Amino acid sequence: MVPVEISARHIHLSQEDSDILFGKGYQLKQLKKLSQGADFAAEETVDIEVNEQEIRGIRVVGPSRAETQLELTFADSYKLKLDIPVRLSGNIAGTPGFRIIGRAGVVVKKEGLIIAKRHLHISPEEAEKYAMKKGDLISITCGELRKTTFHDVEVRVQAGFKFTAHIDVDEANACGLKVCGVGRLIL
Ligand SMILES: [Zn+2]
């Protein structure tokens, strides 16, 4: 069994973009600690303009990263009438751009909009135990209301990763998972 967590749409910001959006040297305030490493949901939100439509109140996830990345869902892509590629976090080359409106400024990004590919976080030790390696695609069954098996869950191996699968809100809704739950690994 593996804990399954649900990611709502959110944005990661580079320090450079954060400086423009919130003011030079601005430090994000932690609202809630997240399961992986130092990740936290910040108190701050930003508004986004993409394909001439606006989405307000996108949650910032800290700490700052090398590159700004916006993670939306398929449901958002239908509403925006925009093709958004499914990518693993950090792989943003050639993805759509967007505009970010913060309380102190505006940033225009040429790329960085993805739908996050579902994935499993695992430490090197546990990966060895399960005979998994980075980039493996596994399946996870979850949801009691509408039991669903998700295939092509990409394995992400890194020291310090907490054994957890991440799916987005669309996927959680598909299987009737409301907050978070557990899934069964199919190896
Ligand atoms: Zn994750």
Side-chain angles (χ1 to χ4, degrees), residues 7 36 119 121 156 166:
S7 302
Q36 299 304 324
H119 56 274
H121 292 270
R156 299 177 61 183
H166 280 162

Side-chain angles (χ1 to χ4, degrees), residues 74 82-87 91-96 113-117:
F74 271 114
L82 178 70
D83 274 333
I84 306 174
V86 176
R87 296 280 184 89
N91 179 13
I92 60 167
T95 59
L113 171 52
I114 64 168
I115 293 171
K117 184 175 186 179

Side-chain angles (χ1 to χ4, degrees), residues 34 45 59 95-96 102 105 126 141 151 162 179 187:
L34 300 176
T45 61
R59 180 70 52 195
T95 59
E126 280 171 309
T141 301
H151 300 285
K162 194 172 150 241
V179 187
L187 300 174

Side-chain angles (χ1 to χ4, degrees), residues 26-150:
Y26 186 82
Q27 296 295 313
L28 297 169
K29 294 183 185 71
Q30 179 172 315
L31 178 70
K32 182 174 165 255
K33 171 104 184 58
L34 300 176
S35 68
Q36 299 304 324
D39 281 4
F40 62 90
E43 286 179 15
E44 292 77 6
T45 61
V46 291
D47 296 335
I48 298 293
E49 274 173 31
V50 55
N51 215 21
E52 294 172 1
Q53 293 180 65
E54 189 182 39
I55 306 175
R56 304 192 74 131
I58 297 275
R59 180 70 52 195
V60 177
V61 169
S64 57
R65 289 203 179 177
E67 289 187 281
T68 290
Q69 172 177 292
L70 173 61
E71 300 180 30
L72 299 180
T73 66
F74 271 114
D76 295 319
S77 84
Y78 302 143
K79 211 183 304 167
L80 294 166
K81 297 185 170 56
L82 178 70
D83 274 333
I84 306 174
V86 176
R87 296 280 184 89
L88 212 53
S89 189
N91 179 13
I92 60 167
T95 59
F98 51 95
R99 201 159 172 263
I100 316 168
I101 299 105
R103 64 174 94 108
V106 171
V107 173
V108 177
K109 303 306 291 182
K110 288 204 171 70
E111 59 186 16
L113 171 52
I114 64 168
I115 293 171
K117 184 175 186 179
R118 49 196 176 226
H119 56 274
L120 174 76
H121 292 270
I122 192 167
S123 68
E125 300 76 32
E126 280 171 309
E128 201 178 329
K129 192 173 92 185
Y130 288 102
M132 286 179 197
K133 58 182 192 308
K134 177 176 179 276
D136 279 357
L137 299 175
I138 58 159
S139 299
I140 296 177
T141 301
C142 42
E144 284 168 15
L145 300 172
R146 293 195 298 189
K147 193 160 129 187
T148 302
T149 299
F150 294 105

